[in-house]
Amino acid sequence: MAKHINISLKGHTVLVTGANSGIGKAIALAFGQTGAHVAVNYVVQPEKAEEVAQQIRQSGGQAITVQADVSREDQVQAMFKQVIETFGTVDILINNAGLQRDAAFTEMTLAQWQKVMDVNLTGQFLCAREAAREFLRRGVVPERSVAAGKIICISSVHQEIPWAGHVNYAASKGGIHMFMQSIAQELAPHKIRVNAIAPGAIKTPINYNAWSTPEAEKHLLELIPYGRVGEPEDIARVAVWLATDDADYITGATIYVDGGMTLYPGFSTNG
Ligand code: BGC
């Protein structure tokens, strides 16, 4: 059971993409606990998005569900319009929607490559651009935050760790890294903060096979010095904090939340 979040973001509006499962769901629920208005984006399985929204409402928050394929410009623009019409503005974007289409490199189809690029990278571009436009239009609202807006890109340890058999995914996450830093540089003078969280292995549907049996989990733990596979709430708590003014001087940064996976544990007894 997730710990309660003791941070108030009352009156803030947060849009979380891919919020009907995994890390996105945990982030949406965590923001709900802060009193923020939460827009729960999904592309398929509306009933799962509705469950997340219901849970937020039951805990006293306000939430809507909003369907959009983040790789489609028209759908992303319609999504922002709907959120802004409902809650008045958007204060925080969590660029979370992402997927894997794994294949050996020489077997990888253009469709597998393109799908991952479209959702993981182009999707972050389209959503961040709409969010930044809204932040610039509205400017700083001192009662809510000293910043005009915050964008948090959910990346991966694979923005740094090469990943055979998953080159489309690793390339998309490497792209997110430079995309995030470049827009952070461009938007900082407008008091817009842009950062990334790079999760390691977190128990979600995307990597179910890597942790769902004791043997698989044991094998996975060889990559994690801290000795446990992460939970979605490990990411959610960091996302909430990063969106608060306590983190106001952080922009253009990637926070690795990975139990030490990027410490390359294979080198602890070799090299
Ligand atoms: C991937 C997971 C993987 C983890 C660590 C994540 O970005 O989506 O499938 O378990 O990285 O390798």
Side-chain angles (χ1 to χ4, degrees):
M1 185 59 205
K3 277 182 247 156
H4 191 80
I5 310 256
N6 270 326
I7 288 174
S8 173
L9 288 171
K10 219 172 168 44
H12 294 239
T13 296
V14 55
L15 167 60
V16 185
T17 66
N20 60 348
S21 77
I23 290 173
K25 174 180 175 177
I27 292 176
L29 293 174
F31 274 100
Q33 288 183 19
T34 70
H37 305 146
V38 186
V40 177
N41 161 259
Y42 68 97
V43 63
V44 289
Q45 298 185 302
E47 65 293 344
K48 286 197 174 174
E50 197 42 54
E51 258 174 53
V52 175
Q54 277 299 347
Q55 244 179 283
I56 293 170
R57 291 181 200 121
Q58 276 157 17
S59 66
Q62 289 187 44
I64 58 165
T65 61
V66 50
Q67 183 176 27
D69 174 343
V70 294
S71 69
R72 295 280 305 275
E73 185 175 36
D74 53 342
Q75 294 185 29
V76 169
Q77 288 178 335
M79 168 169 74
F80 273 81
K81 192 160 175 279
Q82 189 187 336
V83 175
I84 292 164
E85 273 169 14
T86 308
F87 292 129
T89 189
V90 175
D91 300 283
I92 300 157
L93 167 68
I94 309 292
N95 246 342
N96 169 75
L99 45 74
Q100 290 181 211
R101 292 289 181 270
D102 308 327
F105 180 55
T106 50
E107 302 301 318
M108 187 172 284
T109 63
L110 178 58
Q112 286 172 321
W113 171 268
Q114 199 63 55
K115 181 74 180 171
V116 170
M117 286 298 159
D118 284 351
V119 173
N120 294 13
L121 190 53
T122 306
Q124 293 219 5
F125 157 68
L126 289 171
C127 293
R129 192 186 58 176
E130 291 315 305
R133 285 174 175 167
E134 172 61 11
F135 299 162
L136 291 176
R137 183 199 65 75
R138 171 180 35 73
V140 174
V141 179
E143 301 81 67
R144 283 207 296 277
S145 174
V146 294
K150 299 113 195 184
I151 297 171
I152 298 175
C153 300
I154 304 301
S155 181
S156 165
V157 290
H158 298 296
Q159 72 171 31
E160 180 176 331
I161 303 177
W163 206 14
H166 312 257
V167 301
N168 47 0
Y169 184 84
S172 75
K173 296 298 184 177
I176 288 171
H177 184 214
M178 197 43 75
F179 166 73
M180 179 282 291
Q181 288 191 309
S182 299
I183 63 171
Q185 190 189 64
E186 188 164 338
L187 297 173
H190 303 284
K191 307 290 288 176
I192 296 170
R193 293 196 294 114
V194 187
N195 291 289
I197 296 174
I202 308 296
K203 289 186 178 175
T204 74
I206 209 172
N207 59 358
Y208 184 75
N209 292 336
W211 54 265
S212 53
T213 65
E215 305 77 60
E217 185 164 2
K218 186 166 174 278
H219 187 57
L220 182 58
L221 284 172
E222 289 168 17
L223 299 175
I224 309 171
Y226 203 58
R228 70 174 173 89
V229 182
E231 301 289 341
E233 291 75 21
D234 286 311
I235 307 301
R237 280 190 289 272
V238 176
V240 167
W241 170 76
L242 197 49
T244 68
D245 283 355
D246 281 353
D248 186 56
Y249 209 46
I250 303 180
T251 195
T254 298
I255 302 186
Y256 286 86
V257 184
D258 67 352
M261 190 175 251
T262 40
L263 300 174
Y264 296 95
F267 276 82
S268 56
T269 53
N270 204 346

